[in-house]
Amino acid sequence: MTSPTRPLSNKVVLVTGASRGLGKGIALQLGEAGCTVYITGRTLDPTDAPRRPGSLRATAEEINARGGKAVPVQCDHSKDEDIARVFEMIASDEGRLDLLVNNAYSAVNALVTGFGKPFWEIPETMWDEVNNVGLRNHYICSAKAAQIMTKKKSGLIVNVSSLGGKVYLFTPAYGIGKVACDRMAADCGLELKSHNVAFVSLWPGAVKTELIMQGAEARKSGKVEAPTGETAKIGANAHIFEAFGNGESPEFSGKCIVALMQDKGLMEKTGKVLTTAALGKEFGLKDIDGRTIEEQT
């Protein structure tokens, strides 16, 4: 049974990359709405590593405390066999999957390190660091989720993307990957529509995640060299970290996804790029600090 305070209490969801950051924020809001929340990531137990804060078990404890049911599953999303195991577990244990949030991403530290450098001066490995887990994995997870959802004729898949799909951010490999995530939602959504399964691409604004804020602090303290001269003028990079300081919380995207799960007009949105600011306006949502999130340009 659902209730006004637990409107999604009969839903089974999977949020990938939920040890920290956006994934954690999304998972917390889904737990608060009453979902059974499967969460994946590489870090199962808490560590002392300052560059990798958070863990699946810590996220799970917070989800449970908010009234949800958390199922932490250690998964390296660069390994196909790990991905397959997660979906086999959900199909076996639950027999359904109502929501997949493709959020797993392993390139934040690489993006901070390569900040301000032109693409030809960055090691070619940047492509795989950005677009293996951040793109290829999303496609594989979506296919696995669709196999479950189409049988039930119901479901929602969300690719966490960004404004980088429209304007230059960080490095070309980043933008190319985000455009592809958006196109994935459009094309896969087209094929899934007749099965009553929706697929959207979600653009949060600048989000104050743990790793981004660590990177901003490192740049401020001089531990990471700031770009100068012409390099500093590349796209929006000269001010990107400053924007994150005034950004939205990781939980605001979760509020938007909870609203989407209850949207009777959801199928009209399938295949589209949706911004958190626009969804916040449509559904009357506030961030956890009470702020209204404005559209970024």
Side-chain angles (χ1 to χ4, degrees):
M1 296 288 292
T2 61
S3 72
T5 57
R6 299 281 187 268
L8 302 181
S9 58
N10 63 336
K11 301 299 184 182
V12 176
V13 307
L14 168 60
V15 182
T16 69
S19 300
R20 62 188 68 85
L22 261 173
K24 178 180 178 179
I26 291 168
L28 290 176
Q29 283 294 317
L30 289 165
E32 192 169 305
C35 295
T36 295
V37 189
Y38 282 76
I39 51 174
T40 63
R42 290 176 295 178
T43 308
L44 182 61
D45 295 300
T47 71
D48 295 326
R51 289 176 65 82
R52 195 168 291 279
S55 69
L56 292 176
R57 292 204 195 279
T59 300
E61 289 179 5
E62 292 191 49
I63 291 171
N64 293 335
R66 296 194 186 194
K69 176 187 175 183
V71 185
V73 185
Q74 191 169 34
C75 175
D76 183 340
H77 280 272
S78 69
K79 297 179 179 178
D80 292 1
E81 60 272 22
D82 278 20
I83 299 170
R85 179 171 52 84
V86 172
F87 286 91
E88 288 166 3
M89 178 186 299
I90 294 171
S92 175
D93 292 352
E94 308 291 344
R96 63 183 297 171
L97 180 63
D98 299 291
L99 167 69
L100 164 66
V101 180
N102 281 318
N103 170 76
Y105 201 73
S106 61
V108 174
N109 286 330
L111 292 172
V112 171
T113 302
F115 174 87
K117 298 177 183 177
F119 76 91
W120 60 90
E121 293 181 7
I122 298 174
E124 289 86 352
T125 54
M126 177 65 84
W127 176 267
D128 287 335
E129 288 187 72
V130 172
N131 292 321
N132 184 1
V133 171
L135 176 60
R136 181 181 184 275
N137 158 76
H138 290 9
Y139 179 81
I140 294 172
C141 286
S142 298
K144 298 289 187 184
Q147 290 166 9
I148 301 172
M149 292 176 175
T150 53
K151 292 177 182 178
K152 299 291 184 181
K153 299 293 183 180
S154 176
L156 169 63
I157 301 172
V158 177
N159 273 358
V160 175
S161 186
S162 87
L163 185 65
K166 181 180 180 181
V167 301
Y168 180 93
L169 288 176
F170 299 115
T171 188
Y174 177 85
I176 293 166
K178 294 308 181 185
V179 169
C181 282
D182 297 343
R183 185 68 194 208
M184 189 191 307
D187 288 1
C188 294
L190 182 68
E191 294 190 357
L192 287 168
K193 191 170 185 178
S194 63
H195 299 274
N196 198 43
V197 176
F199 198 144
V200 302
S201 194
L202 182 68
W203 285 9
V207 181
K208 295 184 288 188
T209 67
E210 301 93 332
L211 294 181
I212 283 291
M213 299 313 293
Q214 280 184 3
E217 186 59 34
R219 295 185 58 75
K220 189 182 298 183
S221 65
K223 293 179 181 179
V224 176
E225 183 181 355
T228 58
E230 291 301 313
T231 305
K233 299 177 184 177
I234 296 176
N237 271 359
H239 303 291
I240 190 66
F241 285 102
E242 289 79 0
F244 282 96
N246 297 315
E248 62 198 59
S249 79
E251 293 193 40
F252 188 66
S253 290
K255 284 176 171 279
C256 293
I257 292 172
V258 168
L260 281 174
M261 289 287 287
Q262 301 172 77
D263 183 11
K264 294 181 180 179
L266 176 60
M267 291 309 300
E268 296 174 9
K269 294 182 172 71
T270 193
K272 296 181 179 180
V273 171
L274 308 174
T275 68
T276 55
L279 290 172
K281 183 177 181 180
E282 177 181 353
F283 296 114
L285 306 175
K286 303 285 187 181
D287 205 345
I288 57 173
D289 60 2
R291 287 186 304 145
T292 298
I293 301 301
E294 302 294 341
E295 198 77 62
Q296 293 186 334
T297 58

